[in-house]
């Protein structure tokens, strides 16, 4: 069964710290891995999408990596800011069904 | 460019009723997908439409249905509502046919079934 797991469920760090969010998935035959953020009462914002042939993607202070052999992806946030506080979700697509399978999310709080 | 628009934002329905939710994608986007978000089950994929055809379907009962119109606007219908259908329903559009195109989400419709 294809599953996506995010640990921890919540994380609180002081402003300015660099941090890593984790995402693990079963079945290494992944099509792509995507990271999103969700702010309270809002929809989701796509942050980064890593195709199966790629190892990482970068956007500003964000860097996402993909290691298919270990079934892991990480989202690195540099120099965290209070505005980074949100729930971060990862989701994977497998080419067996092309459906987005979601992790439960990590709620990130950046303390000023 | 306007984003993805979902209407209404909030709905309160009674068990047994039916409901229709609407989603207008970003102009030019032909793919619309729908998701259910609940505290217990998290986010789950419902279905995806591309150029008026259902391209993919998640594991939901037949009470959940959808359609897409020629202008790419999509509607989702839930019949015979159950208490467990209370959720945030999100739709997303993408600009290409490839699943490697990024998704753009609306703000969702929060459905409460009493």
């Amino acid at each position: 069964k294809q599953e996506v797991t995010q640990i921890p469920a919540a994380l609180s760090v002081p402003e300015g710290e660099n941090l890593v969010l984790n995402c693990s998935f079963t079945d290494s035959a992944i099509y792509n891995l995507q990271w999103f953020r969700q702010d309270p009462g809002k929809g989701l914002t796509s942050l980064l999408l890593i195709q199966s042939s790629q190892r990482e993607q970068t956007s500003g202070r964000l860097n996402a990596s993909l290691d298919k052999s270990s079934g892991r992806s990480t989202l690195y946030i540099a120099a965290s800011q209070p505005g980074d506080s949100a729930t971060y979700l990862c989701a994977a697509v497998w080419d067996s069904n092309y459906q987005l399978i979601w992790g439960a999310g990590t709620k990130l709080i950046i303390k000023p | 460019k306007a984003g993805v628009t979902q209407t209404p934002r909030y709905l309160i329905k009674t068990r047994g009723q039916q409901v229709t939710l609407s989603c207008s994608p970003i102009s030019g986007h032909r793919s619309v997908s729908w998701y259910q978000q609940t505290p217990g089950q998290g986010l789950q994929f419902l279905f995806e439409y591309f150029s008026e055809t259902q391209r993919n379907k998640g594991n939901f009962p037949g009470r959940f249905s959808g359609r897409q119109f020629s202008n790419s606007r999509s509607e989702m219908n839930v019949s015979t509502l159950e208490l467990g259908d209370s959720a945030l329903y999100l739709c997303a559009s993408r600009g290409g046919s490839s699943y490697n195109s990024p998704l753009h989400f609306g703000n969702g419709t929060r459905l409460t079934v009493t």
Side-chain angles (χ1 to χ4, degrees), chain B residues 1-16:
Chain B
K1 206 175 198 181
V4 177
T5 304
Q6 291 188 246
T7 56
R9 285 298 309 275
Y10 302 93
L11 267 177
I12 300 175
K13 291 287 187 178
T14 303
R15 197 169 38 177

Side-chain angles (χ1 to χ4, degrees), chain A residues 31-34 36 38 41-47 49-52 87 89 93 97-104, chain B residues 9-10 35 37 42-45 48 56-59 88 90 94 98-108 110:
Chain A
Y31 185 78
N32 67 43
L33 191 290
Q34 305 179 40
F36 300 84
Q38 186 172 31
K42 299 285 185 66
L44 289 87
T45 301
S46 177
L47 298 174
L49 183 153
I50 313 174
Q51 299 178 30
S52 61
T87 296
L89 298 113
V93 175
N97 59 22
Y98 295 106
Q99 296 180 11
L100 260 180
I101 306 297
W102 297 84
Chain B
R9 285 298 309 275
Y10 302 93
Y35 304 85
Q37 187 174 30
L43 269 158
Q44 298 182 86
F45 168 76
E48 182 201 7
N56 209 337
K57 188 178 189 302
N59 189 28
L88 179 66
L90 294 162
R94 66 170 96 226
S98 167
Y99 288 101
N100 282 326
S101 300
L103 289 167
H104 301 266
F105 280 84
N107 285 332
R110 183 163 297 280

Side-chain angles (χ1 to χ4, degrees), chain B residues 32-53:
Chain B
V32 174
S33 50
W34 288 88
Y35 304 85
Q36 182 196 65
Q37 187 174 30
T38 61
Q41 298 296 317
L43 269 158
Q44 298 182 86
F45 168 76
L46 281 157
F47 31 66
E48 182 201 7
Y49 287 85
F50 183 81
S51 293
E52 301 181 65
T53 300

Side-chain angles (χ1 to χ4, degrees), chain B residues 43-103:
Chain B
L43 269 158
Q44 298 182 86
F45 168 76
L46 281 157
F47 31 66
E48 182 201 7
Y49 287 85
F50 183 81
S51 293
E52 301 181 65
T53 300
Q54 187 179 86
R55 183 162 75 158
N56 209 337
K57 188 178 189 302
N59 189 28
F60 277 80
R63 300 185 298 106
F64 292 82
S65 63
R67 59 178 175 170
Q68 187 179 33
F69 301 95
S70 59
N71 62 358
S72 293
R73 189 177 71 86
S74 178
E75 288 182 346
M76 190 191 89
N77 184 272
V78 187
S79 63
T80 318
L81 284 165
E82 301 177 358
L83 296 178
D85 297 333
S86 294
L88 179 66
Y89 290 88
L90 294 162
C91 84
S93 70
R94 66 170 96 226
S97 60
S98 167
Y99 288 101
N100 282 326
S101 300
L103 289 167

Side-chain angles (χ1 to χ4, degrees), chain A:
Chain A
K1 184 184 176 186
Q2 294 156 342
E3 294 181 342
V4 177
T5 303
Q6 292 184 253
I7 296 173
L11 182 64
S12 180
V13 301
E15 179 180 4
E17 280 199 6
N18 303 323
L19 61 99
V20 173
L21 303 180
N22 296 302
C23 174
S24 60
F25 50 90
T26 59
D27 190 351
S28 60
I30 201 168
Y31 185 78
N32 67 43
L33 191 290
Q34 305 179 40
W35 284 91
F36 300 84
R37 70 174 277 169
Q38 186 172 31
D39 296 278
K42 299 285 185 66
L44 289 87
T45 301
S46 177
L47 298 174
L48 292 164
L49 183 153
I50 313 174
Q51 299 178 30
S52 61
S53 59
Q54 300 171 330
R55 293 297 303 271
E56 64 178 350
Q57 283 287 332
T58 298
S59 176
R61 295 182 294 108
L62 306 179
N63 176 277
S65 67
L66 176 64
D67 184 344
K68 293 188 295 182
S69 62
S70 67
R72 291 185 60 200
S73 175
T74 60
L75 179 66
Y76 174 83
I77 302 177
S80 59
Q81 305 169 357
D84 295 330
S85 297
T87 296
Y88 289 80
L89 298 113
C90 68
V93 175
W94 283 270
D95 57 14
S96 56
N97 59 22
Y98 295 106
Q99 296 180 11
L100 260 180
I101 306 297
W102 297 84
T106 295
K107 184 175 182 179
L108 176 65
I109 297 173
I110 307 298
K111 298 175 290 186

